[in-house]
Amino acid sequence: TIRKGSTIFVLGGRTTYSDWILNMLPKDQSEYAGGKAGFSDINVGITHKFNANNSIQAFGYWSRDKFSFGADTTFHYSNLNASIKGNNHFSDRHSMTLTAGYDRYVSSYEESNYEPQAYQLFTGVQQGYAKLGFKSNLGSHHVLSYGFNGVFYDLNPGNRVPVMAGSLVIPDALDRQRGIETALYVSDTWSPTEKLQFEYGLRGAGFLALNPSKFYFYPEVRLSGKYSFSPDFTAKAGSTQ
């Protein structure tokens, strides 16, 4: 049951009328006359608060671009993003955030100026990720942050296919590249005064390349600090090794 006042829903979208403008260009004076171009997108978001300690957020976005300023060359681009995040407060001192999402970008290029060599080229990249983070207020001006995150990458460097019945282009594709990145981290934020704050921690990051398989590991030590001279002026410094 969704209670009144506990849910926020947002929906938006955009589009263009570029085709209409290009069609108004005089064909005997502009090489872009008769060209086609367009952009459209849509986004949706929802936030629901179950109670004072639990909430969830979901977001989605899609867009598409296309343009063809000549009859023989066409470009297409598309983006897709989706994510969901849950927040839970176990107590006044402990909280957890879980996030998962997916991102995708694809593009295509079509060349049809000369039918025997007409082809279409596709490229793209997509990833799925998950993050689990915790925060614990330890008292004595200390806040402990720790968690895990992982990302799966899938890259399409390019695949080519023939277009038009008379095309002699041979289908070809580069090998897809895939990999998995993971990390564990822990850090402490210490605020000895209202104006002075230090943060220090450890992070272990690993990357597994697939096809062929190879694993890399990168330990990191992080240290940073900041001092607030006023609400509008803060000095910061940090180091990562």
Side-chain angles (χ1 to χ4, degrees), residues 13-35:
R14 298 176 293 177
T15 190
T16 63
Y17 46 90
S18 307
D19 284 351
W20 175 71
I21 296 177
L22 291 172
N23 288 330
M24 295 180 62
L25 297 174
K27 295 183 179 181
D28 58 342
Q29 298 181 20
S30 174
E31 60 181 320
Y32 299 133

Side-chain angles (χ1 to χ4, degrees), residues 64-223:
R64 182 182 66 178
D65 298 78
K66 64 174 182 178
F67 67 90
S68 176
F69 292 154
D72 56 356
T73 305
T74 304
F75 297 86
H76 287 91
Y77 307 93
S78 178
N79 287 281
L80 176 65
N81 312 100
S83 65
I84 185 169
K85 180 171 70 173
N87 299 293
N88 176 261
H89 292 268
F90 307 123
S91 65
D92 293 338
R93 291 179 175 269
H94 305 283
S95 64
M96 178 194 76
T97 300
L98 175 62
T99 306
Y102 173 79
D103 304 303
R104 186 191 71 188
Y105 168 80
V106 293
S107 68
S108 68
Y109 167 79
E110 182 176 323
E111 178 65 61
S112 57
N113 182 47
Y114 180 52
E115 184 171 350
Q117 297 179 356
Y119 70 93
Q120 191 169 17
L121 177 66
F122 298 91
T123 60
V125 60
Q126 58 184 338
Q127 66 176 28
Y129 61 89
K131 302 177 183 179
L132 178 62
F134 298 88
K135 282 192 175 183
S136 298
N137 189 337
L138 305 180
S140 300
H141 310 289
H142 288 270
V143 176
L144 187 67
S145 300
Y146 50 100
F148 165 85
N149 59 68
V151 185
F152 173 74
Y153 301 99
D154 184 5
L155 172 65
N156 175 16
N159 66 288
R160 183 186 61 187
V161 296
V163 294
M164 304 179 70
S167 176
L168 302 178
V169 172
I170 299 174
D172 193 15
L174 297 174
D175 293 337
R176 297 183 78 97
Q177 303 294 318
R178 296 182 175 92
I180 301 174
E181 182 181 14
T182 58
L184 288 168
Y185 68 91
V186 59
S187 66
D188 178 37
T189 302
W190 176 40
S191 305
T193 69
E194 292 184 356
K195 295 186 176 182
L196 182 63
Q197 185 180 91
F198 296 100
E199 184 174 357
Y200 40 88
L202 300 173
R203 184 176 185 269
F207 182 81
L208 175 62
L210 306 174
N211 304 323
S213 297
K214 191 171 184 180
F215 183 72
Y216 305 86
F217 180 73
Y218 307 95
E220 297 180 0
V221 178
R222 298 181 175 185
L223 173 65

Side-chain angles (χ1 to χ4, degrees), residues 51 54 56 92 162:
N51 51 50
N54 297 276
I56 191 170
D92 293 338

